[in-house]
Amino acid sequence: MASGKKRGKQTVVFDNPPVLTAWSAVVGPKEGDGPWGKDFDFIIDDYMFGEKTWEKAETKMLRETIKLTLSKRFFTPEDVELLLAGDLLNQTVSSNFAARELQIPYLGLYGACSTMAESLVTGSMLMDGGFFERVVAASCSHHYASYRQYRFPTEQGVQSTPSTQWTATAAGAILLEAGGTGPRVTSATIGKVIDMGQTDMADMGCAMAPAAADTIKTHFDDLGRSTDYYDLVVTGDLAKIGMAAAEQLFIRDGLVPKPNYSDCGVLLYDETQGVDAGGSGCGCCAAMLCGPLLKKIVNGDISKLLLVATGALMSPTTSFQGESIPAIAHAVAIEM
Amino acid sequence: MGSIFMAFLIGGALCLIGQLIMDFTKPAVTPGHILVGYITAGAVLSGLGLYQPLVDIGGTGATIPLSGFGHLLTQGTLKAVEQKGILGALSGGAEAAAAGITAAIVFGYIIAVIFNPKG
Amino acid sequence: MNVPNPDKLKKIEIQEYDNLLQQIKPKPAIFTNCVWAFTVGGLICMLAQIIQNYLLSTGMSKIDASSITSVTMIFLGALFTGIGIYDELGKKAGAGTIVPITGFANAIVASAMEFKREGYVFGVGARLFSVAGPTLVFGFAVAVLIGLIKVFFTS
């Protein structure tokens, strides 16, 4: 039964690690004002992005991010064999509509805020399996489009709590190729859905932290790696409070969280930007990865990165019905 | 001047109670629940004769919070019952609250059509 | 052999995690929230009282003055929602902006505004009542019930 590429319970190791040959990140105004503004490829200055609705703006953002990524290698959409993308909106419409315009063969994914890792893992496995040689992995989110679906109308005066996270307006896309130079996806751990009975929609970080901790522990166990193997372990959007919870769980599991652990939700914004606990959304870790993090790898600041993107898998309906929030986390190792 | 100060005091106190309810029941109680809760509580207290004294003391401090709207509905109903019996039970509330409800619907619609949300 | 019940184990695990979160989660700033709610809610009611006193001074009947005051406050609540100020205030004042009738207007307009792209009938028109609907349902239901009780006891 055991395949040559699988290690331990949930981890895969690639014989021919796909290469990240091009990537780009497009973000909204607030993200552009944040600490990493200069590391993103393009900052849109208006949440409508020249469109009539937020949903259209999100589609355009994803589409343009993918096109920009391809243009860095002088490719057109016809040169790409597969697009793997997802977002937060119902029926993942932003990705569906972007794929309609790009005309790249497409598989839509939903992993909530973990989608960037989900698309990278899926793409890498399909490539290492020999099915494709050129795949784009992407995800995006739009603050106002998702806020209106998941929470209260934006103009309703609702008090935010310290644990509330700000859904990022951002998109990231990565071109994976079978050969070439650049960072490579070397291994990945596919997470289980973990539910620790959390019900607070205004505190996703604490609902997702156990999933992140579980996936990270499994990753290190499956590969028999020591915790200082990576230069940086970064979780996707647990934000301040969730990250604090995750650190406690790491300690419980015998992992040393500091100093090479951080979280995209904490990194994306400044304290002064009024985002409470930090960022969230598919675009948050997508843009952090495709902006500052990959730049650091290319510049040689870090050479081994473990991205653990987390996602909260509830819907407004299940929350209204009193269900707790199930969460997932996938880990992707990117090494230079 | 006295009435203005009392409006501040009673109105503030009613909002304070709402805030305490929200802070201690997080995240179960949403703003929507507060609105429904206040109108219901106001209507019930009014039926028990307990809300009118608050209005006498606080003026708009008691009528402007949504509990005051519940009070208005109950008082309208009770008055109409005295005049028309069982028909009044159905017509009284809407008659008393007609201006407020119509204003909310019409102004709400117009404002929503004119303005766009941020972002 | 005594096999531990997996449900029970899960419950213990959840309990342990909740205990952990208790230590990590910042306590809501209840005192600050209350000061904000009291002050802003009080000021809104105070503004209404000023309007009402003025109307009464013109010789208007108490019932009419009260109605016009409510209508004015509803209008102001809707307007400040439209120009994007009310939600900013609400982020700080919480119940201070929800409990007064201006908060009712805010909830109505905020839900309606966002759904303009879905059309003026099933977008704005229907969403207008997403919060107002339940509120009115409960208000009317209770008032009618009280009316019926009165009918029953007086006859």
Side-chain angles (χ1 to χ4, degrees):
Chain A
M1 267 302 284
S3 95
K5 299 184 194 216
K6 193 168 156 231
R7 303 280 187 282
K9 284 190 288 184
Q10 292 161 239
T11 305
V12 290
V13 175
F14 303 113
D15 293 334
N16 301 299
V19 186
L20 284 67
T21 55
W23 54 84
S24 45
V26 172
V27 299
K30 200 178 182 92
E31 293 69 23
D33 285 341
W36 308 97
K38 60 178 187 340
D39 292 321
F40 301 119
D41 293 86
F42 186 75
I43 297 163
I44 57 177
D45 52 9
D46 150 35
Y47 283 100
M48 283 291 183
F49 204 5
E51 296 286 335
K52 282 214 175 73
T53 67
W54 293 322
E55 289 75 8
K56 280 189 175 148
E58 184 174 336
T59 297
K60 182 173 173 185
M61 195 166 66
L62 180 62
R63 191 182 67 220
E64 294 307 314
T65 308
I66 294 167
K67 279 189 185 163
L68 185 63
T69 307
L70 298 183
S71 72
K72 288 180 178 176
R73 292 273 293 141
F74 307 102
F75 288 144
T76 60
E78 292 88 73
D79 298 318
V80 180
E81 295 170 311
L82 182 68
L83 168 63
L84 295 159
D87 56 86
L88 285 176
L89 298 188
N90 288 337
Q91 287 79 38
T92 63
V93 281
S94 306
S95 308
N96 300 350
F97 283 55
R100 173 181 73 181
E101 284 132 28
L102 290 166
Q103 289 293 305
I104 303 171
Y106 161 69
L107 290 174
L109 302 174
Y110 186 81
C113 309
S114 72
T115 307
M116 193 65 224
E118 189 181 0
S119 62
L120 274 175
V121 174
T122 314
S124 301
M125 290 194 298
L126 290 171
M127 289 178 68
D128 194 38
F131 295 99
F132 299 99
E133 296 197 323
R134 214 172 277 158
V135 173
V136 170
S139 77
C140 67
S141 58
H142 187 292
H143 177 77
Y144 290 102
S146 67
Y147 205 79
R148 129 177 158 142
Q149 179 181 318
Y150 283 96
R151 296 181 190 168
F152 298 103
T154 53
E155 297 297 331
Q156 193 172 344
V158 179
Q159 230 166 9
S160 58
T161 62
S163 58
T164 312
Q165 289 171 247
W166 181 275
T167 307
T169 305
I174 293 174
L175 176 63
L176 294 169
E177 289 187 78
T181 53
R184 289 165 180 269
V185 180
T186 52
S187 62
T189 301
I190 298 171
K192 290 185 291 195
V193 176
I194 306 266
D195 190 331
M196 292 299 271
Q198 299 297 305
T199 52
D200 189 354
M201 285 268 278
D203 189 2
M204 304 289 202
C206 288
M208 298 190 292
D214 185 80
T215 299
I216 291 173
K217 183 173 177 3
T218 307
H219 181 82
F220 284 115
D221 286 353
D222 284 350
L223 294 177
R225 283 181 179 163
S226 68
T227 51
D228 56 1
Y229 179 85
Y230 294 100
D231 300 317
L232 180 65
V233 174
V234 62
T235 45
D237 1 315
L238 297 179
K240 247 181 276 170
I241 298 165
M243 180 175 163
E247 282 177 330
Q248 292 302 314
L249 294 173
F250 294 159
I251 293 167
R252 183 198 68 186
D253 294 342
L255 302 169
V256 189
K258 278 171 181 161
N260 56 354
Y261 167 61
S262 193
D263 179 78
C264 294
V266 174
L267 293 170
L268 187 62
Y269 301 102
D270 264 333
E271 299 256 338
T272 54
Q273 288 186 290
V275 293
D276 295 304
S280 69
C282 300
C284 179
C285 80
M288 278 307 294
L289 176 65
C290 300
L293 293 175
L294 282 171
K295 197 173 259 182
K296 278 192 187 303
I297 292 179
V298 172
N299 292 347
D301 297 333
I302 49 176
S303 67
K304 295 188 179 78
L305 169 75
L306 186 68
L307 174 79
V308 186
T310 53
L313 301 177
M314 80 299 152
S315 82
T317 309
T318 60
S319 280
F320 274 131
Q321 292 170 351
E323 289 262 9
S324 54
I325 302 171
I328 197 160
H330 303 298
V332 188
I334 299 171
E335 299 178 61
M336 191 64 189
Chain B
M1 265 323 280
S3 65
I4 293 172
F5 177 71
M6 287 314 286
F8 176 78
L9 211 62
I10 300 292
L14 284 172
C15 294
L16 181 81
I17 294 169
Q19 186 65 45
L20 286 172
I21 294 172
M22 289 211 302
D23 277 347
F24 281 104
T25 57
K26 232 161 221 177
V29 171
T30 65
H33 290 107
I34 290 287
L35 290 174
V36 171
Y38 265 68
I39 200 167
T40 310
V44 171
L45 289 175
S46 175
L48 297 170
L50 298 174
Y51 206 81
Q52 189 57 45
L54 201 61
V55 176
D56 294 339
I57 303 167
T60 55
T63 55
I64 287 298
L66 216 61
S67 44
F69 203 64
H71 169 62
L72 186 67
L73 289 172
T74 299
Q75 289 308 314
T77 308
L78 291 178
K79 211 168 277 171
V81 165
E82 278 171 17
Q83 292 159 358
K84 303 181 214 165
I86 197 152
L87 178 64
L90 289 171
S91 66
E95 274 167 27
I101 294 173
T102 310
I105 293 171
V106 173
F107 293 152
Y109 192 83
I110 293 171
I111 298 280
V113 167
I114 296 174
F115 292 98
N116 283 315
K118 276 190 283 277
Chain C
M1 209 174 83
N2 217 341
V3 183
N5 180 349
D7 281 350
K8 207 168 184 183
L9 275 180
K10 182 80 188 167
K11 252 184 208 143
I12 293 168
E13 212 185 335
I14 288 176
Q15 190 55 48
E16 278 175 1
Y17 186 57
D18 279 337
N19 293 344
L20 172 72
L21 291 183
Q22 281 293 320
Q23 295 161 20
I24 293 169
K25 279 197 187 185
K27 303 278 168 285
I30 293 181
F31 182 73
T32 327
N33 286 352
C34 285
V35 170
W36 267 98
F38 182 84
T39 313
V40 173
L43 287 174
I44 291 173
C45 295
M46 203 167 113
L47 173 67
Q49 189 68 47
I50 293 170
I51 296 170
Q52 187 165 309
N53 284 0
Y54 168 76
L55 293 170
L56 287 170
S57 76
T58 63
M60 193 179 280
S61 78
K62 197 151 191 196
I63 289 180
D64 285 355
S66 179
S67 287
I68 294 182
T69 306
S70 295
V71 167
T72 312
M73 294 310 284
I74 289 168
F75 175 74
L76 290 176
L79 181 68
F80 282 99
T81 303
I83 58 182
I85 291 175
Y86 204 85
D87 71 307
E88 295 296 333
L89 190 61
K91 275 178 197 158
K92 290 249 183 275
T97 51
I98 296 166
V99 170
I101 204 155
T102 44
F104 180 64
N106 168 246
I108 290 180
V109 176
S111 339
M113 239 163 124
E114 282 201 351
F115 286 84
K116 215 184 291 184
R117 312 270 178 246
E118 282 75 358
Y120 290 100
V121 178
F122 289 106
V124 186
R127 293 281 172 169
L128 208 54
F129 284 93
S130 62
V131 177
T135 311
L136 292 176
V137 166
F138 278 83
F140 275 112
V142 172
V144 168
L145 196 67
I146 292 170
L148 289 176
I149 291 171
K150 182 165 169 143
V151 171
F152 182 73
F153 278 104
T154 47
S155 59

